[in-house]
Structures are given as C-alpha cells and as structure tokens.
Amino acid sequence: MKLIGLDIDGTLINSRKEISEKTRTTLIKAMKEGHKVVIVTGRPTPGARELADILEFKKYGGLLSTYNGGAITDCKENKTLTSHPMDMKLAREIVAFSKDLDLEIILPYEETIYSRYKGKYAVSEAKNVNMNLEVVENLEDIVNFCPNKILFAQDPDRIDPPIKKLKEKFGEETEQMKSARYFYEVMPKGPSKGKSLLEIAEIFDIDQKDIIAFGDEMNDISMLEMAGVGVAMGNAVPKIKEISDYITLSNDEDGIAYYLEKFVL
C-alpha cells in the first residue's frame, strides 16, 4: 500500500482550477487498488471538501490534511483524526499586532473567513475555498477560539517588509512561510504537511518509504522531504525541483496521473 499525498494548487488542479478527468480516474483507480490518497493543503478543511467529493473520498476512504498539516480528516468516517490549533492568547497577539501592518488578514475558523475589510485577497480566498467572508474591523476582539492558522496577503512587491516584522516578533513561537508570492502563513509550532503524512502513515501502518508526495510550492518542502519519494510537478518552483526525487509533467499535463501510471499502478 502506498500513501499518496497531493498538494492542491499547481498540483492536483490545473490552471483552470479543475481536476482533470484523467487525474480523477487515475486517483480513484489507485484507491480501488488499496492505496491511500490524501489531499495535503494549506486551505481550511471546508475549502478542500469539494475536491474530496470529486475524488469520491467518502466512498474510497480518502483523507484530508488541511491547514498545512494542522488537521487531518477521515472523509469516509467523517471524523477528525488529529487537530493542532494555535494557542488562543498567541492568536490574539498576532491578530492585534498585524493591525498596523500593510497586510490583509485572512482568519479561517470553522465555516467562516474573518477579515478586517473586504480586500481583494480576502474576497478571492473566501470564494476559492467556498467559505463565508465576515468583515470585523476590530478583529482581535472576537478571537475567542483557537485557529489552525492565520493567513496574510499583500501584493508581491509590498509583502516582504510587513511579513519581516511578523517573523521578527513571532518567529520563535510559530511556523511561518510563503505559500504563494502574495500569501504568508502563520501556524502553530510543530505541525507541517510532512508531519501530517507521517501521522497518517502511523495511523494506517504504512512505512515511510511507501509515502509518495506531489507538490509545486515552498510550503510543500516538508512533505517532499519526509516522503519516501518526493515528486515535483513540471511547473514547480526551482527549489522544489532541486529537493525532489523525481520531476513529473506539469499540472496541465496530468503530471500526477503520469507518475502513478508509470511507477505505481
């Protein structure tokens, strides 16, 4: 049995934001043959459910690793297997500190995304992950929950100075990384995409060498390094290609299906 970990954007979905029919049927075939397929993403859990439904995870036992490894969901059992949320006090401090930074804040919790104003990135992200957007100007006042991550956004030519301040202030207490040129993720210390795959492998008694991970962006580094085989998409950023064991075709050329048909199925 293989554990097949799939990033979403730039990996599982093509440039039209769709799972191609070839990729879909190949992944379903893999599950029918007994392999475990898991979507591994920085998105909130609600933002990955539609893709899980397209791949028939409820029927074939697929899994979701969301919030960059912060939560793992068994779709067939409709059960959260693990969750690693951020400390509430720390989350409040980060939200309050960010008020004076030149950044949009995007705070997902349960079925809602919270933001201070209806910015272009918050609106786009809420639409992209099929979640409600609620605008709360004094956002720090309503953080009475433990989020799995806090997302910040800004134009690529403006994002570096403010995120440097976040790194300086909270870098030792949190995991922080760019997940796109305009997105910066702040997460609790410890969880990662790679560690979530190891957690799943332990739950289902799968050897680490039998983990295959597909990715394209910098927040995929941990899972590509921890997998038995790390596979970079043909469209991946240079660093991901450097650390990977294999470079497949791009997400517009069914790179996942190409690799699985060649080496697994």
Side-chain angles (χ1 to χ4, degrees), residues 57-73:
F57 273 12
K58 288 181 181 178
K59 182 176 181 179
Y60 296 112
L63 300 154
L64 296 177
S65 167
T66 48
Y67 301 105
N68 285 313
I72 298 169
T73 304

Side-chain angles (χ1 to χ4, degrees), residues 27-169:
L27 289 170
I28 288 174
K29 182 180 179 183
M31 289 186 284
K32 285 180 176 178
E33 291 190 8
H35 304 293
K36 278 288 177 187
V37 174
V38 52
I39 291 175
V40 190
T41 179
R43 294 186 185 189
T45 305
R49 285 186 189 135
E50 183 178 353
L51 298 175
D53 289 343
I54 290 170
L55 294 174
E56 299 186 58
F57 273 12
K58 288 181 181 178
K59 182 176 181 179
Y60 296 112
L63 300 154
L64 296 177
S65 167
T66 48
Y67 301 105
N68 285 313
I72 298 169
T73 304
D74 184 323
C75 295
K76 190 172 186 178
E77 301 296 329
N78 193 27
K79 182 171 68 174
T80 300
L81 300 181
T82 66
S83 182
H84 307 285
M86 185 180 292
D87 176 76
M88 188 190 304
K89 182 175 180 289
L90 176 59
R92 284 179 183 154
E93 289 176 2
I94 294 169
V95 172
F97 181 80
S98 71
K99 189 170 187 177
D100 297 322
L101 299 180
D102 182 25
L103 293 167
E104 281 186 40
I105 184 169
I106 299 168
L107 178 60
Y109 183 67
E110 294 184 341
E111 303 295 324
T112 302
I113 281 178
Y114 297 94
S115 192
R116 287 200 174 90
Y117 58 93
K118 198 172 279 189
K120 64 179 181 181
Y121 291 108
V123 170
S124 175
E125 181 67 1
K127 182 179 179 181
N128 191 43
V129 299
N130 299 309
M131 293 173 69
N132 300 316
L133 175 61
E134 184 170 331
V135 175
V136 182
E137 186 176 349
N138 296 316
L139 188 54
E140 57 276 6
D141 295 339
I142 66 136
V143 182
N144 59 355
F145 51 84
C146 300
N148 284 94
K149 75 167 185 177
I150 305 173
L151 178 63
F152 295 95
Q154 186 50 277
D155 296 342
D157 58 347
R158 292 166 55 190
I159 196 170
D160 288 341
I163 65 174
K164 183 181 178 183
K165 293 179 181 178
L166 282 170
K167 189 72 172 178
E168 290 170 351
K169 179 70 173 176

Side-chain angles (χ1 to χ4, degrees), residues 182-215:
Y182 45 83
F183 277 155
Y184 192 66
E185 314 223 5
V186 180
M187 297 154 294
K189 202 79 172 175
S192 69
K193 286 188 171 187
K195 287 180 182 177
S196 76
L197 286 180
L198 295 182
E199 286 182 297
I200 293 168
E202 184 174 355
I203 290 168
F204 292 96
D205 196 26
I206 299 171
D207 197 294
Q208 185 174 356
K209 68 178 175 57
D210 291 319
I211 301 174
I212 304 168
F214 294 82

Side-chain angles (χ1 to χ4, degrees), residues 2 35 212 214 229 231 245-248 255-265:
K2 302 292 185 183
H35 304 293
I212 304 168
F214 294 82
V229 180
V231 183
D245 302 299
Y246 188 88
I247 300 172
T248 188
I256 293 171
Y258 174 81
Y259 179 90
L260 294 178
E261 288 177 344
K262 187 175 179 69
F263 295 108
V264 178
L265 302 177

